[in-house]
Amino acid sequence: MIHIEKVINKRQLKSFITFPSNLFQNDPNWINPLNIERLEHFSKKNPADDHIEWQTWLAKKEGEVVGRISAQVDSLHRGLYGPDTGHFGMIDAVDDPEVFRLLFSAAENWLASKGARKITGPFSLNINQESGLLIDGFDTPPSAMMTHGKSYYSARVEQQGYTQGIDLLAYWMRLAELQFPPSLAKLMDHARKKVSIRCLNRKKFSEEMEVLRQIFNSAWQKNWGFVPFTEHEFAVMGDQLKFLVPDDMIFIAEIDSVPVAFIIGLPNINEAIADLNGRLFPLGWAKLLWRLKVSGVRTARVPLMGVKIEHQFSRIGPVIALLLIEALHAAFGKWNIEALEMSWILESNAGMRNILEKIGAIPYKRYRLYEKQL
């Protein structure tokens, strides 16, 4: 008999966070997130808590956890898309249709009680955090802040009446194979007369974070499911970037001294924590610091990139993106980065996909965002 348990205390939350480590224990591509980070994610320390109300559940069978799910209501999302929206997320479970049915029933009943009728997901906790259900690419580990999953998840989710909203793609690129075809190189040389690329100015870090936030919110505002980053969210992100990202992995593009685009390269923290099993103590901190600051990691991810909307459909817009990628490539070489993931890219973003594929990147993972009308 399967029992659904609402998470209401720290003991249950710990079970919620650690369940995937048991579920994926025989998966060589599973990387356990840091437990302390996951605990903060589901606490007031998560800046998204300012505008998201959430609840989580566990599924138990004979006293053992066999599944989990979350449900969220985002006031910022509702302000843009209507007061009847809601989301699900953090879905992990054994391959049992009844477990999935009961978990989704609990999440949907809670969402309905909050006035939600249009459900999208999975998000953890919104689209600016971990998003999407892995559909293809199970044979490689996830990069930092990307999700993993089981191959049966998609079928089980679709059995609950969810259909494809949109797919997200992750591109993989080996730095040694990056090349700019002559036609693109010519456009880039011409654009250099107008566009300047600079590193982030750490002496004005908070002001620079606000510049990046404004660019991102402009660049992504027309994308599927867009929710703007708040000042609080970007400030907290900035605190993390100070620790994780060297100054020369954040670049800003300017035209006439006005910022118009940016790119961030993030050393792949998943590579650094792969053998820590989610624990920083007693020696995990020392290992993590050594790997990030001394021995280095060999892979990276580009989690954020944007060109202001007024330039996206101009002739120079795509070239600005190429100039930023070129600048980041040089920085990665300095830090001995050998390969990177660029993610995520909306499947419908033909322009960016075309750019990436022309310079040698290949799509290697696919994630799906689902939707359902209650």
Side-chain angles (χ1 to χ4, degrees):
M1 191 167 180
I2 300 164
H3 171 65
I4 301 300
E5 188 173 282
K6 191 175 183 179
V7 175
I8 58 174
N9 59 45
K10 291 182 179 180
R11 176 186 57 79
Q12 293 168 315
L13 181 58
K14 183 179 179 181
S15 294
F16 182 91
I17 288 170
T18 58
F19 167 66
S21 64
N22 295 322
L23 183 65
F24 290 93
Q25 61 182 319
N26 296 320
D27 184 342
N29 294 306
W30 167 250
I31 295 178
N32 206 34
L34 295 174
N35 293 332
I36 189 171
E37 185 277 329
R38 290 290 85 182
L39 284 168
E40 290 191 355
H41 188 77
F42 287 97
S43 75
K44 296 293 183 181
K45 292 183 179 181
N46 187 333
D49 190 71
D50 295 345
H51 54 91
I52 295 177
E53 181 183 1
W54 54 270
Q55 180 60 54
T56 55
W57 295 264
L58 294 169
K60 288 188 172 182
K61 186 175 183 179
E62 298 179 356
E64 297 293 326
V65 178
V66 292
R68 70 174 191 172
I69 198 169
S70 70
Q72 305 91 243
V73 170
D74 186 338
S75 62
L76 291 183
H77 189 276
R78 287 186 162 189
L80 291 170
Y81 304 102
D84 60 349
T85 66
H87 315 291
F88 76 91
M90 308 295 285
I91 179 66
D92 287 292
V94 299
D95 192 9
D96 184 334
E98 186 67 1
V99 172
F100 278 83
R101 186 187 71 80
L102 292 172
L103 283 170
F104 273 93
S105 178
E108 290 172 4
N109 287 338
W110 184 87
L111 287 167
S113 75
K114 303 295 180 181
R117 297 296 180 269
K118 302 173 185 175
I119 312 302
T120 53
F123 301 119
S124 167
L125 291 166
N126 77 351
I127 199 167
N128 294 328
Q129 298 177 350
E130 295 97 335
S131 300
L133 190 78
L134 184 64
I135 298 297
D136 186 39
F138 298 93
D139 56 343
T140 53
S143 290
M145 297 185 291
M146 296 294 283
T147 65
H148 196 51
K150 296 282 190 179
S151 59
Y152 57 81
Y153 281 6
S154 57
R156 297 294 177 230
V157 171
E158 289 163 15
Q159 285 172 355
Q160 313 313 312
Y162 287 83
T163 58
Q164 178 184 3
I166 197 166
D167 281 4
L168 317 173
L169 300 176
Y171 277 79
W172 187 255
M173 179 189 299
R174 295 197 63 80
L175 274 299
E177 297 170 2
L178 172 63
Q179 56 181 337
F180 298 99
S183 58
L184 294 183
K186 184 177 180 180
L187 290 173
M188 293 165 68
D189 287 340
H190 182 72
R192 288 184 228 279
K193 301 173 184 176
K194 186 175 183 180
V195 181
S196 60
I197 307 293
R198 67 172 177 85
C199 290
L200 174 113
N201 184 349
R202 189 170 286 261
K203 293 180 179 179
K204 299 181 178 180
F205 196 87
S206 59
E207 293 95 327
E208 295 280 64
M209 285 297 103
E210 179 60 16
V211 167
L212 301 190
R213 187 182 76 89
Q214 291 180 10
I215 294 174
F216 179 90
N217 286 345
S218 169
W220 286 64
Q221 63 182 281
K222 299 296 184 182
N223 284 350
W224 189 97
F226 164 78
V227 174
F229 269 108
T230 66
E231 290 184 30
H232 185 198
E233 287 172 314
F234 233 76
V236 171
M237 183 188 298
D239 291 338
Q240 296 168 344
L241 293 178
K242 281 182 181 179
F243 172 72
L244 294 172
V245 182
D247 295 355
D248 57 359
M249 285 193 189
I250 304 178
F251 290 94
I252 297 172
E254 296 181 334
I255 296 178
D256 297 327
S257 299
V258 177
V260 297
F262 78 97
I263 192 170
I264 295 176
L266 174 68
N268 186 9
I269 192 172
N270 275 9
E271 182 184 334
I273 68 172
D275 63 347
L276 300 185
N277 197 30
R279 296 189 291 267
L280 281 179
F281 303 103
L283 299 177
W285 271 114
K287 290 180 180 179
L288 178 58
L289 286 171
W290 176 266
R291 291 165 183 172
L292 289 177
K293 303 296 184 180
V294 182
S295 65
V297 295
R298 296 294 171 260
T299 58
R301 179 183 169 223
V302 175
L304 291 173
M305 179 180 182
V307 179
K308 277 188 174 180
I309 195 165
E310 58 263 34
H311 296 286
Q312 287 178 7
F313 301 102
S314 67
R315 294 182 63 183
I316 202 170
V319 187
I320 295 174
L322 288 169
L323 292 175
L324 288 168
I325 293 171
E326 179 188 51
L328 195 58
H329 174 259
F332 280 162
K334 170 185 172 182
W335 290 96
N336 297 317
I337 299 294
E338 297 173 356
L340 74 146
E341 177 180 296
M342 300 194 71
S343 61
W344 41 262
I345 312 295
L346 287 169
E347 184 180 35
S348 59
N349 190 346
M352 179 54 67
R353 292 181 61 196
N354 185 50
I355 286 174
L356 293 177
E357 289 167 19
K358 280 187 175 180
I359 63 175
I362 58 170
Y364 85 120
K365 286 182 183 287
R366 178 180 293 267
Y367 302 83
R368 182 157 297 164
L369 290 173
Y370 285 95
E371 55 189 8
K372 178 181 179 178
Q373 188 85 29
L374 293 184

